[in-house]
């Protein structure tokens, strides 16, 4: 445990804000829970918790639900724990160690600790009651067969099988061309549905264990995905989209990507379409958590998420087809969706509730699968996410945070008892973090130049100078939303901690939720001429800086900016286009050059290809190096699976050629997500030190 440092009163500096300022180590010492699972029967649950890089499994069982450490991985090698599964009877936990599952290819081995042995991504199992983990084999994305002691998993795009206890070596289950995935066992465990992705098309397949054959379900010139078994195991529902091809369409027009729900009788192989999304941009496949979230529920209903009314909402249809019933009407979004064990209820987290600020929070909701009778289960000022119902249907387990307490697992009796939720594992929060001073951010709104409303959370220090330096924080994604509390995503829990640290150093911090982000409806999420095709969202970043500059408590000459990933891209754009407004910035693994990423003009070009290329040039930070004057710190790990390291190499060279003041921090073998805790602390401290040097120390000299 890292010690919380109580700084002595700095009478010589004259800055009361430094009197009890927490360290970066104290604020980033939060335990981060993930991978919450419940057994299909009984009341057993398991989850993964990352404690400053020490990633382990924890188990709990009713009625006490006391957290118990299940594994003993007490060194930080930066190897993830993902793919956690709990057998139906609750006797076995299966999980994956290694990889970077926030990257485009999560199964790629990563080695952020620069260990001399080659890294691996492997499937393991461990008894729920405790014991040494057992290696099942190299692979990823495990799926435990119901009612049986077998685990299917993926290796090099093929499906393998292993006894859950590792009593025999794994072996290939079958061969199917393409990259196979989305493994879904039938309720009786005798058949396995999967998706075979083949580049420009994909099929739904079913492997039948009784006669060891692969069956293709209604194959077509299409992308088929998201197989879901009917409760009786006789039918499959799946999503179908158009395959690529056809006459080149406009690049800049709103994208229309309609999709449909199909069902098929597995024995007969006959299928039919039971629902079609509208032929509108809003009718495209949702790009929020879980996509369509297709599930074959109870009461002969199929449930899913669609954006076609302007918000990502839950819908259901009869399994035989018909009009979609909107289950969650209102101006809010749903995500983290699950189905109760009896398949009669949908649970989710949503940015809605009785408080006007709930649009910048998450609360748990539940709704019957066949009627729009939604309830908000956890009103208040907290952040509640990832609900999971225990197999006996008696409890809801979820993740809970507040503005000043990081995320912890929590449990509440199935709604109706009136009992309050209780936290699990409070002792995992170090005293240094419990005692660290934190501020409660305030929700704010302001206007961009084109009249679009921009949203944000304002963090303000108490006391100090009348005119304070300020920071605009830009989240990544861009399909994310910063909240009025500790975030449910690990990358953004870290930036929330960093924003609290910056406040402790005397900065006013504005976390800006710019267009392209989630939480504020389709038009905000999918604006025209955004990203590489015009960067219309940059208006929101500039507006955030100008809004800060107009605050009476802010020194308009000392406004900085920082962000990672897409936030790094917008940081670079801000410094290149508006050095007069943004006096310094930190660009963390951002994209800097969209030129060349646009479909080229060819013998059969898109009608607006040339304009798209011109807009990409205007949207690229490298186009503004000539007007870039503010100092910048560039940070990048060179095994980044999300943004090419070359993007920063190219920008650094251009900054050198134009004599732009810059510093760099390169972390060999590290990924996009700071897998090693010491690297996370290194990066956070570097961000704070650079901004403090250029916006506070130079002012005081």
């Amino acid at each position: 445990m890292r010690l919380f440092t109580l700084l002595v009163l700095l009478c010589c500096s004259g800055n009361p804000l430094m009197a009890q300022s927490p360290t970066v180590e104290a604020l980033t010492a939060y335990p981060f829970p993930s991978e919450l699972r419940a057994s299909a029967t009984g009341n057993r649950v398991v989850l993964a918790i990352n404690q400053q890089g020490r990633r382990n499994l924890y188990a709990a069982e009713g009625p006490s639900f006391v957290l118990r450490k299940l594994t003993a991985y007490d060194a930080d090698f930066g190897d993830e724990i993902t793919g956690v599964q709990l057998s139906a009877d609750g006797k076995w936990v299966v999980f994956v160690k290694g990889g970077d599952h926030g990257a485009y290819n999560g199964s790629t081995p990563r080695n952020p600790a620069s260990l001399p042995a080659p890294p691996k991504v492997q499937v393991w199992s461990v008894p729920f009651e405790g014991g040494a983990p057992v290696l099942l084999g190299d692979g990823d994305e495990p799926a435990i067969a119901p009612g049986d002691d077998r685990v299917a998993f993926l290796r090099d795009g093929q499906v393998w099988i292993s006894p859950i206890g590792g009593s025999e070596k794994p072996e290939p289950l079958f061969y199917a061309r393409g990259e196979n995935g989305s493994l879904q066992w039938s309720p009786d465990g005798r058949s396995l549905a999967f998706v075979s992705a083949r580049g420009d098309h994909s099929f739904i397949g079913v492997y039948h264990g009784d006669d060891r054959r692969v069956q293709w379900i209604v194959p077509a010139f299409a992308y088929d995905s998201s197989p879901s078994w009917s409760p009786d195991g006789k039918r499959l529902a799946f999503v179908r989209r158009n395959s690529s091809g056809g006459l080149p369409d406009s690049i800049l027009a709103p994208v229309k990507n309609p999709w449909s729900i199909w069902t098929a009788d597995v024995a007969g192989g006959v299928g039919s379409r039971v629902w079609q999304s509208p032929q509108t941009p809003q009718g495209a496949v949702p790009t929020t958590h879980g996509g369509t979230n297709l599930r074959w529920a109870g009461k002969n209903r199929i449930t899913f998420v669609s954006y076609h009314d302007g918000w990502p909402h839950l819908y259901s249809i009869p399994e035989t087809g018909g009009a979609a019933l909107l289950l969650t009407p209102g101006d809010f979004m749903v995500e983290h969706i699950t189905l109760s064990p009896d398949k009669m209820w949908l649970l989710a987290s949503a940015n809605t509730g009785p408080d006007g600020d709930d649009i910048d929070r998450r609360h748990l909701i539940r709704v019957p699968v066949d009627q729009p009778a939604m309830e908000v289960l956890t009103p208040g000022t907290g952040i509640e996410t990832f609900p999971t119902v225990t197999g006996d249907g008696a409890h809801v387990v979820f993740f809970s945070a507040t503005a000043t307490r990081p995320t912890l697992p929590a449990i509440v009796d199935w709604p109706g008892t009136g009992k309050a939720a209780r936290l699990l594992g409070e002792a995992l929060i170090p005293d240094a973090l419990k005692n660290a001073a934190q501020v409660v951010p305030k929700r704010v709104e302001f206007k961009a130049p084109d009249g679009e409303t921009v949203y944000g959370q304002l963090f303000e220090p108490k006391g100090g100078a009348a005119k304070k330096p300020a920071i605009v924080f830009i989240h990544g994604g861009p399909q994310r939303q910063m909240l009025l509390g500790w975030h449910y995503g690990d990358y953004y829990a870290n930036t929330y901690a960093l924003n609290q640290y910056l406040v402790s150093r005397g900065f006013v911090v504005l976390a800006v939720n710019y267009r392209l982000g989630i939480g504020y409806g389709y038009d905000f999420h999918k604006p025209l001429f955004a990203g590489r095709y015009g960067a219309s969202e940059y208006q929101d970043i500039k507006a955030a800086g100008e809004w800060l500059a107009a605050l009476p408590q802010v020194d308009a000459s000392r406004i900085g900016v920082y962000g990672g990933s897409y936030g790094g891209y917008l940081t670079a754009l801000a410094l290149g286009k508006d050095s007069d407004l943004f006096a310094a910035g930190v660009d963390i693994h951002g994209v800097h050059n969209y030129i060349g990423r646009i479909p080229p003009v060819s013998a059969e070009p898109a009608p607006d290809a040339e304009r798209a290329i011109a807009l990409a040039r205007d949207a690229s930070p490298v186009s503004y190096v000539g007007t870039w004057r503010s100092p910048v710190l560039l940070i990048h790990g060179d095994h980044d699976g999300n943004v090419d390291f070359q993007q920063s190499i190219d920008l650094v060279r251009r900054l050198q050629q134009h004599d732009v003041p810059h510093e760099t921090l390169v972390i060999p073998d590290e990924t996009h997500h700071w897998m090693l805790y010491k690297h996370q602390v290194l990066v956070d401290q570097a961000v704070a030190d650079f901004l403090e040097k250029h916006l506070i120390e130079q002012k005081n000299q």
Side-chain angles (χ1 to χ4, degrees), residues 320-566:
T320 55
L325 173 65
L326 174 59
L327 299 175
T328 54
D331 292 346
F332 60 88
M333 71 173 293
V334 296
E335 56 183 352
H336 315 143
I337 296 149
T338 191
L339 193 61
S340 63
D342 62 8
K343 299 184 182 295
M344 299 300 179
W345 295 87
L346 288 162
L347 289 91
S349 60
N351 59 337
T352 188
D355 191 300
D357 287 343
D358 283 335
I359 195 168
D360 279 0
R361 298 190 181 103
R362 293 291 185 274
H363 297 311
L364 303 189
I365 64 164
R366 74 168 182 174
V367 63
V369 300
D370 62 343
Q371 55 181 306
M374 187 190 82
E375 305 169 62
V376 177
L377 304 181
T378 56
T381 59
I383 312 292
E384 297 90 31
T385 54
F386 295 100
T388 302
V389 184
T390 55
D392 58 8
H395 303 90
V396 180
V397 190
F398 58 97
F399 292 149
S400 165
T402 69
T404 56
R405 175 184 51 74
T407 303
L408 286 174
I411 192 164
V412 67
D413 290 349
W414 181 253
T417 65
K419 293 183 179 179
R422 60 188 176 94
L423 297 176
L424 310 180
E426 285 185 273
L428 297 176
I429 302 177
D431 289 341
L433 179 53
K434 289 179 182 177
N435 297 327
Q438 298 181 55
V439 300
V440 176
K442 179 176 67 175
R443 192 175 78 86
V444 297
E445 296 181 6
F446 47 92
K447 294 292 185 180
D450 62 356
E452 181 71 58
T453 300
V454 188
Y455 307 88
Q457 295 92 37
L458 186 67
F459 299 70
E460 291 193 270
K462 296 178 181 179
K467 289 282 189 177
K468 299 178 177 64
I471 303 293
V472 173
F473 165 66
I474 312 173
H475 68 72
Q479 296 169 150
R480 303 287 187 270
Q481 181 187 19
M482 297 307 293
L483 305 173
L484 289 166
W486 283 81
H487 205 275
Y488 55 82
D490 54 354
Y491 190 98
Y492 299 104
N494 175 55
T495 54
Y496 186 85
L498 178 52
N499 286 339
Q500 291 281 0
Y501 180 71
L502 289 169
V503 171
S504 77
R505 307 305 295 172
F507 289 101
V508 175
V509 179
L510 174 61
V512 57
N513 282 333
Y514 55 92
R515 71 191 81 180
L516 285 177
I518 60 173
Y520 308 105
Y522 180 86
D523 292 339
F524 192 88
H525 188 185
K526 302 289 183 179
L528 292 175
F529 303 110
R532 69 184 64 186
Y533 301 128
S536 61
E537 72 278 13
Y538 176 67
Q539 298 178 79
D540 306 346
I541 306 306
K542 184 175 182 180
E546 292 174 337
W547 185 83
L548 277 176
L551 294 179
Q553 66 270 38
V554 168
D555 182 346
S557 69
R558 294 190 291 158
I559 295 177
V561 58
Y562 90 95
S565 195
Y566 205 89

Side-chain angles (χ1 to χ4, degrees), residues 2-8 10 15-30 404 430-439 461-462 486 496-507 677 681 684-685 688-689 692:
R2 289 168 172 79
L3 296 177
F4 175 72
T5 303
L6 291 176
L7 300 182
V8 297
L10 300 180
N15 189 350
L17 289 169
M18 303 305 176
Q20 294 184 343
S21 179
T23 64
V24 167
E25 288 88 346
L27 286 168
T28 57
Y30 53 86
T404 56
D431 289 341
L433 179 53
K434 289 179 182 177
N435 297 327
Q438 298 181 55
V439 300
K462 296 178 181 179
W486 283 81
Y496 186 85
L498 178 52
N499 286 339
Q500 291 281 0
Y501 180 71
L502 289 169
V503 171
S504 77
R505 307 305 295 172
F507 289 101
Y677 175 66
V681 172
D684 288 354
Q685 191 68 63
D689 288 348
E692 188 168 351

